Amino acid sequence: MTPETFTVLLSDSAVRRVFSAVALGSSTSAEILAATGLAAPEAAPAIGRLLREGLVVPRGRGRLAVDEAALGAAAEIAGRRLREQAEAEQPDPGLRGYVRGTVLVRLPEDDDETRRAVLDHVAATTFEAGREYDERTVTDLLRPWCEGAAVDPVSLRRSLVDDGFLHRESGSYRLVSLVGPGSSS
């Protein structure tokens, strides 16, 4: 079973109710009908779909159970796909979960080393060494990083200044050249 099949199956209300009842311990038709509140003509096709797709399997005479192996396999496939997608969107494992492509998903607050790596990445990929920027331009350049993020461009600009990645003087900003481990600027 694929994650897509699982999702499509559970998008049907009757199938979802039957699956939930079986997952919570109802195993006979009578128990499923009582737990779901469905009539037999509604529950029977849902049970049939779950059996055909292999999400529910017979367990003894007239009893059903969730096929934990099928559910686990679907979860494993989904997890692998999510990992592959995360790797494709952000090849640097140190930035995963924080930077997706050119979007800052979130700024680490608890881990100073990771925070500095994320801010270094943002600064180094956004600003050119030796060039001066006015405040509005800096904010505009940071705006795409903040689309859908928990941080706004002004707060990100402040973090870049406070953490030493941008130098601000008289309303002018410039990239600070950092030399050291983990610095890409």
Side-chain angles (χ1 to χ4, degrees), residues 1-12 15 49-50 52-55 70-71 74 77-78 81:
M1 165 171 308
T2 66
E4 293 82 5
T5 302
F6 179 75
T7 303
V8 169
L9 266 174
L10 293 188
S11 69
D12 179 299
V15 172
R49 284 185 68 194
L50 289 166
R52 278 190 305 281
E53 293 296 339
L55 191 53
L71 194 55
I77 291 168
R81 288 180 185 171

Side-chain angles (χ1 to χ4, degrees), residues 99-114:
V99 176
R100 186 177 303 125
T102 58
V103 175
L104 179 61
V105 176
R106 66 187 180 96
L107 191 56
E109 296 297 331
D110 303 355
D111 182 350
D112 286 341
E113 185 177 330
T114 304

